[in-house]
Amino acid sequence: MLKDIENLIRLQDFDLKIHELEQSKIDLPVAVEARENAIQQAEEELQNVSTKLAEARNQVTEIRNRIETANEALSKSQERLNAITTNREYDAVHAEIESSKSIVASGQEKLDAASEQVEKLSEREKAAQENLESTKSEHEPEIAELKKKIASIDSRIAEVVAKRNEVTPQIPKHILNTYQFILKRRKNGRVLSMVDEARTCTVCFKRLEPQAINELRKGVKAPSCQSCGSLLVWSELQPEEPAQETTGQEESGSNDSQGSSEQKIEDNA
């Protein structure tokens, strides 16, 4: 029976890894999208600032043209003063001169304001460009790595399934059937409750009876928890195994899809 329990634990490890990889098929694309959105937002911010800067520069050009035109008109009006012979002509030219001076004065104020706006927008554009470069530098390598992981998920699942299939024939049919029945009802792939000296089910935290603890210590059977239905296994019976490979979910910033061994789970899918 001890060998059966060891095989059950190995089977659980494979199923948890399969669940983790399946979850990563959901989590990793979300992580890629978040990073691509960050780059897109930085690009849009730069484009927005650049558009405003171009508009401000065009405004500066237009104001300068109006000032230049007004100055030319002012010069021509002043030249005409020498050829004036009547008061009516004098009044008309004088009005033209005052109008041109007014256009130049107000234009200069607008030019100063527009030039200041160009300067501010130029600084914002530089900052936005630096932010875009920094964002790309940070996220593009991560995106490439995540996409690489996504592309390999199915093949990695197939490898784990192959190893799982090597273990299942070594487990008695009645034990395997019970395990599979519980597995189908679990959302996180966890069937076994690894019990330690705390003498509680590590899935639902129910205090276990002394008789169950004795059976677990001896490894003569893997009884079910009367509260949550998990198969109980004494933690010290767990065989030493190499560390499981990671799926890259830590890069995605998502929570561990398997959950802690102490976390209570629902029985029903």
Side-chain angles (χ1 to χ4, degrees):
M1 183 62 193
L2 182 59
K3 184 63 177 177
D4 294 337
I5 292 176
E6 291 179 351
N7 286 331
L8 267 181
I9 294 172
R10 291 190 177 93
L11 182 62
Q12 174 75 107
D13 287 343
F14 290 136
D15 284 333
L16 290 177
K17 186 181 292 185
I18 290 171
H19 174 79
E20 182 182 3
L21 288 167
E22 290 288 357
Q23 185 62 37
S24 70
K25 293 172 74 172
I26 300 173
D27 295 339
L28 297 186
V30 173
V32 169
E33 184 179 5
R35 287 158 174 78
E36 289 178 337
N37 286 343
I39 293 174
Q40 182 179 352
Q41 289 175 3
E43 289 175 337
E44 289 176 352
E45 174 62 19
L46 176 59
Q47 180 61 44
N48 182 48
V49 174
S50 296
T51 298
K52 291 181 178 179
L53 177 58
E55 292 173 352
R57 285 173 172 163
N58 287 337
Q59 186 178 18
V60 166
T61 300
E62 291 174 1
I63 294 171
R64 284 176 175 165
N65 288 339
R66 287 200 297 268
I67 291 174
E68 183 178 352
T69 300
N71 278 325
E72 291 175 355
L74 178 60
S75 297
K76 291 179 180 179
S77 295
Q78 289 174 337
E79 291 175 357
R80 288 172 56 195
L81 286 175
N82 297 327
I84 290 175
T85 59
T86 67
N87 290 335
R88 179 178 293 182
E89 288 178 328
Y90 178 85
D91 291 340
V93 173
H94 190 268
E96 292 175 359
I97 292 174
E98 292 301 320
S99 176
S100 297
K101 287 182 177 180
S102 177
I103 292 173
V104 171
S106 63
Q108 189 60 52
E109 292 180 1
K110 292 178 180 179
L111 179 61
D112 292 341
S115 297
E116 183 179 354
Q117 181 71 359
V118 166
E119 184 177 351
K120 290 180 179 179
L121 288 171
S122 295
E123 293 175 356
R124 284 182 56 188
E125 183 184 50
K126 180 180 178 182
Q129 181 65 48
E130 291 175 351
N131 178 60
L132 176 58
E133 292 173 358
S134 174
T135 302
K136 284 185 174 182
S137 177
E138 176 184 358
H139 291 313
E140 284 182 340
E142 295 175 345
I143 291 172
E145 181 63 24
L146 290 172
K147 286 184 176 180
K148 181 179 178 182
K149 290 178 183 294
I150 292 171
S152 68
I153 289 176
D154 287 338
S155 63
R156 292 165 66 188
I157 290 177
E159 291 175 1
V160 179
V161 170
K163 294 179 181 178
R164 184 188 193 276
N165 292 340
E166 293 176 1
V167 174
T168 51
Q170 304 176 41
I171 301 173
K173 190 172 182 180
H174 70 282
I175 298 177
L176 181 61
N177 288 342
T178 300
Y179 176 94
Q180 297 282 39
F181 176 77
I182 299 173
L183 179 64
K184 290 180 180 179
R185 301 173 63 196
R186 295 292 166 89
K187 294 179 179 180
N188 66 352
R190 186 172 294 280
V191 176
L192 304 186
S193 170
M194 307 305 295
V195 182
D196 56 20
E197 294 297 339
R199 303 190 176 193
T200 60
C201 173
T202 53
V203 174
C204 68
F205 305 105
K206 177 181 173 58
R207 184 76 176 180
L208 302 177
E209 298 294 333
Q211 181 180 352
I213 295 298
N214 290 334
E215 292 175 345
L216 291 176
R217 283 180 178 275
K218 295 176 183 178
V220 296
K221 61 186 298 187
S224 298
C225 174
Q226 294 181 353
S227 177
C228 68
S230 299
L231 295 180
L232 303 173
V233 175
W234 190 249
S235 61
E236 293 182 3
L237 298 178
Q238 185 167 359
E240 293 185 1
E241 293 284 354
Q244 295 186 10
E245 63 174 344
T246 60
T247 65
Q249 291 188 59
E250 64 276 7
E251 293 92 343
S252 70
S254 64
N255 294 329
D256 185 358
S257 62
Q258 299 174 23
S260 166
S261 61
E262 291 82 16
Q263 181 180 2
K264 184 172 182 179
I265 63 172
E266 297 177 357
D267 289 341
N268 296 325

